[in-house]
């Protein structure tokens, strides 16, 4: 599997009146994946978009649509997000008592299954899920908002990397990622970097070059840390 560094801009930091062109702009500027943050005002204290919006985004995504569900319960909505065109559906371990069943249900739709961990949840909590999952998302902020202060989870990433071994499981980092925070996480074994404010700052649909500069700055910092070579 591809363990090179992948940058996944979060459209939570995009212009909410112009998602289609924002997605096209970040992809043209070098995004590897597009990260979509779904919030329900219950599991997290913020509201974003549901399956019809995600389906509308799909028409503009040419890379990988990475859908991060911050909702509880999850299971009743899995089919709707699969039908909306998600490539990866990630559910929170803390969103219900049956994450194992949730991951099985995501895989049953033919989509890749991710499990996300809040900052307070230990790496060991996914030990018995690793054969059922394609991605572990390590939250480096408390989920709910973009632009929050980074919480260092390097040790958790290192433990996960050792636990994953040869399995084809991505480690994704979400929250407060920028050129200063990314290197240590990639060095510890992460390969997917979600970034909202650090990608969208300074740019716009009319002026997308800063998106490209921001993406290249994160990638260069991460690869400089040895990320491209982490096997
Ligand atoms: C937070 C979301 C993140 C968020 C990241 O709940 O899951 O994807 O958009 O934003 P930044 O990069 O600004 O911390
Ligand atoms: Zn996210």
């Amino acid at each position: 599997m591809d363990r090179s560094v992948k940058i996944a801009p979060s459209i939570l930091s995009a212009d909410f009146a112009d998602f289609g062109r924002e997605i096209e702009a970040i992809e043209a500027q070098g995004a590897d994946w597009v990260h979509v943050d779904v919030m329900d005002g219950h599991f997290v204290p913020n509201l974003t978009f549901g399956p019809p919006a995600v389906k509308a985004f799909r028409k503009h995504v040419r890379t990988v649509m990475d859908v991060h569900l911050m909702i509880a319960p999850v299971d009743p909505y899995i089919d709707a997000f699969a039908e909306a065109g998600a490539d990866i559906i990630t559910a929170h371990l803390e969103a219900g008592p049956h994450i194992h069943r949730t991951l099985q249900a995501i895989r049953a739709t033919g989509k890749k299954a991710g499990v996300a961990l809040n900052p307070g949840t230990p790496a060991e909590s996914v030990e018995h899920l690793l054969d059922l999952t394609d991605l572990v998302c390590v939250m480096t902020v408390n989920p709910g908002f973009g632009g929050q202060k980074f919480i260092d989870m390097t040790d958790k990433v290192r433990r996960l990397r050792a636990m994953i071994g040869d399995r084809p499981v991505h480690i994704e980092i979400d929250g407060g990622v920028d050129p200063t925070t990314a290197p240590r996480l990639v060095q510890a074994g992460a390969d997917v970097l979600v970034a909202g404010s650090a990608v969208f700052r300074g740019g716009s649909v009319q002026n997308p070059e800063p998106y490209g500069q921001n993406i290249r700055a994160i990638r260069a910092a991460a690869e400089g840390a040895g990320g491209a070579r982490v096997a």
Side-chain angles (χ1 to χ4, degrees):
M1 94 175 227
D2 174 16
R3 285 202 193 281
S4 64
V5 173
K6 289 164 284 297
I7 311 293
S10 163
I11 59 168
L12 192 60
S13 295
D15 176 356
F16 270 43
D18 211 353
F19 280 121
R21 290 201 295 166
E22 288 277 41
I23 289 167
E24 287 166 11
I26 52 171
E27 289 194 339
Q29 293 295 326
D32 298 290
W33 294 5
V34 175
H35 186 82
V36 177
D37 286 305
V38 175
M39 305 186 185
D40 67 351
H42 166 75
F43 178 68
V44 290
N46 196 3
L47 276 168
T48 57
F49 8 82
V54 173
K55 189 175 179 182
F57 304 157
R58 176 74 257 180
K59 296 193 202 91
H60 301 272
V61 177
R62 299 233 168 91
T63 57
V64 171
M65 189 160 71
D66 175 33
V67 177
H68 178 193
L69 299 180
M70 288 160 272
I71 65 175
V74 181
D75 295 9
Y77 302 101
I78 290 171
D79 286 346
F81 284 105
E83 282 159 23
D87 294 301
I88 303 168
I89 299 177
T90 296
H92 267 264
L93 183 127
E94 307 84 2
H98 297 295
I99 186 68
H100 190 284
R101 175 184 292 150
T102 299
L103 293 170
Q104 286 177 321
I106 295 170
R107 283 227 170 139
T109 68
K111 305 299 183 177
K112 294 210 183 306
V115 55
L117 304 181
N118 283 336
T121 303
E124 288 69 22
S125 58
V126 299
E127 193 172 350
H128 303 287
L129 302 171
L130 292 173
D131 290 321
L132 262 181
T133 189
D134 302 290
L135 175 148
V136 179
C137 173
V138 176
M139 295 302 302
T140 39
V141 295
N142 284 296
F145 303 94
Q148 301 183 82
K149 193 174 175 317
F150 175 78
I151 303 167
D152 195 2
M153 291 283 138
T154 308
D155 181 57
K156 191 190 286 191
V157 173
R158 204 173 288 121
R159 285 174 193 231
L160 280 169
R161 189 67 200 88
M163 237 185 276
I164 287 168
D166 292 335
R167 295 178 182 87
V169 179
H170 296 287
I171 299 179
E172 177 177 77
I173 308 299
D174 190 0
V177 170
D178 65 21
T180 67
T181 56
R184 68 193 98 161
L185 297 159
V186 167
Q187 206 156 24
D191 63 305
V192 185
L193 301 173
V194 175
S197 30
V199 166
F200 284 90
R201 76 168 56 108
S204 67
V205 162
Q206 288 76 26
N207 174 34
E209 284 76 21
Y211 296 168
Q213 288 159 9
N214 294 337
I215 289 170
R216 286 192 294 279
I218 298 169
R219 196 191 304 280
E223 287 180 349
R229 293 186 298 279
V230 173

